[in-house]
Amino acid sequence: ILHRWAHRYVTTPDGQPFPPEQLPAYRALHGERVQGVVLVVVCPPAPKAVWVSASAGPILAPDHQLLGVVADSADITPILALRPEVERHAAELDATFNAIADGLLIYDTQGTLIRTNAAAERMLRFTPEERGFPLVECLTAFQVETPDGTPVPVEDAPHIRALQGEAVS
């Protein structure tokens, strides 16, 4: 039944037939946990395609025998309708970020540099390899100093203090 249904009503996001053996429920029947598979469903008489995010997982007995499958799907069509607006806002934010004359560095919570603006790129001259360095390595390489030339210990650098929740100017 799953195969017939998939062949008749399900496609990949780019319009290709969705392989039935890749359906989350089918994969869960074979012991796999699957999350967030995007597929497109067109079931007559509904005139429109529905974009779906589907997940599934096996239900196992204590002895690991397959008892069944739990499957979940969510209609993400309304979210995808917002994509052009989100992309426009992202482009505006990107243009604003890069237009700022001050060098901006954005780090994740682990201290990995995830984004810089054009001013920071010009000032710091990061090589592509250096962009992926952990923050502590970058600060050590740059030898951060106060205006009078006193070295700033890495743990006292504004970047590190900010990552610890402190507001630093």
Side-chain angles (χ1 to χ4, degrees):
I1 293 175
L2 202 54
H3 282 287
R4 278 185 287 156
W5 179 81
H7 279 299
R8 186 177 288 167
Y9 302 119
V10 183
T11 67
T12 63
D14 62 359
Q16 300 300 309
F18 198 95
E21 63 278 359
Q22 291 302 312
L23 287 169
Y26 183 90
R27 291 166 61 187
L29 281 169
H30 293 86
E32 187 178 350
R33 291 183 193 279
V34 185
Q35 291 185 309
V37 174
V38 176
L39 45 97
V40 181
V41 179
V42 181
C43 290
K48 288 181 162 183
V50 176
W51 286 67
V52 173
S53 175
S55 301
I59 301 170
L60 302 174
D63 65 356
H64 299 288
Q65 180 181 346
L66 181 68
L67 298 175
V69 168
V70 62
D72 172 54
S73 61
D75 180 354
I76 59 172
T77 309
I79 296 167
L80 293 175
L82 296 173
R83 180 178 257 161
E85 185 176 351
V86 169
E87 288 174 353
R88 182 178 58 79
H89 285 297
E92 289 171 0
L93 180 60
D94 194 49
T96 301
F97 185 77
N98 279 311
I100 295 172
D102 294 332
L104 299 175
L105 305 166
I106 299 177
Y107 296 91
D108 66 14
T109 57
Q110 283 71 48
T112 302
L113 182 64
I114 57 172
R115 180 112 192 253
T116 60
N117 70 348
E121 294 285 336
R122 280 191 307 276
M123 283 189 277
L124 301 173
R125 296 183 194 103
F126 279 135
T127 66
E129 300 81 37
E130 289 170 330
R131 284 189 199 105
F133 286 176
L135 177 58
V136 172
E137 271 187 58
C138 289
L139 292 172
T140 303
F142 279 108
Q143 299 172 346
V144 179
E145 300 175 345
T146 63
D148 68 2
T150 305
V152 175
V154 171
E155 62 274 3
D156 291 339
H159 305 75
I160 298 292
R161 291 169 49 202
L163 283 168
Q164 294 170 347
E166 187 178 336
V168 183
S169 296

